[in-house]
Amino acid sequence: MTQPDNRHITLIGAGLAGAVLATLLVRRGWRVDVYEKRGDPRVQGYGGGRSINLALAERGRHALRLAGADEAVMQHAVMMRGRMVHFLDGRTDLQRYGRDDSEVIWSVHRGELNVILLDIAERAGAKLHFDRGLSGVDFDARTARFTDPRDGSTHEARFESLVGADGAGSSLRAAMSAHVELGERTEFLGHSYKELEIPPAADGSFSIEPNALHIWPRGRYMCIALPNDERTFTVTLFLPNEGDPSFATVRNGEDARALFERDFADAVPLIPALEEDFERNPAGLLATLYLDRWHLDGRAVLLGDAAHAMVPFHGQGMNCAFEDCVALAEHLDANPDRAAAFAAFQAERLPNARAIQAMALENYLEMRDRVDDDDYLLQRALERTLAQRHPERFMPRYSMVTFQRMPYATAYERGRQQRELLIDLTRGHTSLDTLDWSAVDHAVRERLTLLPMDA
Ligand SMILES: Cc1cc2nc3c(=O)[nH]c(=O)nc-3n(C[C@H](O)[C@H](O)[C@H](O)COP(=O)(O)OP(=O)(O)OC[C@H]3O[C@@H](n4cnc5c(N)ncnc54)[C@H](O)[C@@H]3O)c2cc1C
């Protein structure tokens, strides 16, 4: 009888998480095979079809450092210092994310990032198999079936364990759910998105401030724009699916132009192909995926979007997926029993995934509806002051999520306590000048414990 191979693992999906996990495991001495449904993006170009650029933050960068990929990725990243809010009357206001340029986020091109990560995984020694979409699993015989989308041919491979890094529509998740109750439910946001492009200016430079994430908040809907290193911006229009305006009323390029001329007027001259982009690019649905269980004993486990897809409003889906990769690699190394390793991984990560999913949903309301409210701006001003006066106790939730690596669940809970404090302290005030600072300091010390900081 053949012995189980204790240092071999099979990954499904060579997207962002799959490539990082492969590298982390190979660097720890594992033999890794990765099966990817699409062709090799390094040969045929990236056909991702969704969100062209992504915000990379500290959690993601930490994983990239461990995978030896941070330096290569950062060569293509564009710094974003804060939100550049575009008001309806054309005024703009830069709201910094952190204290200084050590607390920023980075815009990276999804396709470029994927290519860099695949190169690094392959160089490290991972075996990558493209044009191999998982199409069936026999968990008893431990064989997986893959279909080549080019000719429909099928291929089988034996596995010890499968790791599903195959994204929100995970085929592995579907195969697992025939064997174990995963408690799967998907909550649709009722809003979708569409991408448009701001090309470089005539002289080849960025046509608006490059080092910012631009936001046009308009109540029930919004636009954002992130810079790309080729001096373009990817604009994402988020609209409800129903109502007015919505994707039900804004149906073609002409409708889109009318909406932009009314609500995003300063963006209109920046997007010359507005009608074409709107009609060519598909509208993407936004949803949160909840599972109660992420693994099938020691035979299969899910991570990243396959386990916990979230709405994109905290810019953390990829960052969280990368953090999953580090955690799974650590649990696999610490625990030779895979079922125990997968269970420990789930126990650590599931509550944190739930927390960032909730924060991502909350952030949508904040981004589209709050960033220009007076009470919100006063609370933010107090938040900044308290972060300076009490750095050991008070940190804006955005910073805890984005610049620190404390568990998401901790950031969520502390954020809740801080929000209550900010509401209480600013109640009845329209400016910070009227606050009683000794009472404020006392309340902070009384109500907030010391922050857990990264080592
Ligand atoms: C509009 C939008 C904006 C976003 N912005 C941000 C952001 O700013 N910051 C951030 O951190 N996150 C962001 N995200 C989230 C981020 O895109 C995801 O969380 C991230 O891509 C998850 O990585 P993954 O590897 O789990 O899945 P994916 O990146 O989806 O990769 C899955 C891979 O599996 C492959 N695959 C699928 N099915 C099969 C199969 N049957 N067999 C083999 N392979 C298969 C796919 O081809 C793909 O390569 C955004 C998402 C959206 C929709």
Side-chain angles (χ1 to χ4, degrees), residues 300-327:
V301 68
L302 303 168
L303 53 61
D305 276 15
H308 51 64
M310 64 190 75
V311 295
F313 305 110
H314 219 308
Q316 283 289 317
M318 163 189 66
N319 288 283
C320 179
F322 286 174
E323 214 173 42
D324 287 351
C325 296
V326 174

Side-chain angles (χ1 to χ4, degrees), residues 168 173 181-188 287-294 306-309 350 354 357:
R173 191 176 69 232
E181 177 53 53
L182 298 176
E184 176 173 343
R185 61 208 181 278
T186 300
E187 282 176 15
F188 289 94
T288 308
L289 166 75
Y290 302 99
L291 301 183
D292 295 332
R293 191 180 173 87
W294 290 0
H308 51 64
L350 195 144
R354 289 276 163 87
Q357 288 178 314

Side-chain angles (χ1 to χ4, degrees), residues 163-181:
V163 180
D166 51 345
S170 172
S171 304
L172 179 58
R173 191 176 69 232
M176 287 164 69
S177 59
H179 287 256
V180 64
E181 177 53 53

Side-chain angles (χ1 to χ4, degrees), residues 12-18 35-38 50-51 53-55 110 132-134 165-168 171 193 195 226 286 303-306 312 315-319 321:
I12 309 300
L16 302 179
Y35 292 87
E36 165 58 46
K37 179 168 72 175
R38 297 193 187 126
R50 70 188 176 108
S51 105
N53 51 20
L54 303 158
R110 183 190 286 274
R132 293 285 180 272
L134 183 75
D166 51 345
S171 304
Y193 69 94
E195 287 165 342
L226 272 72
L286 297 167
L303 53 61
D305 276 15
Q316 283 289 317
M318 163 189 66
N319 288 283

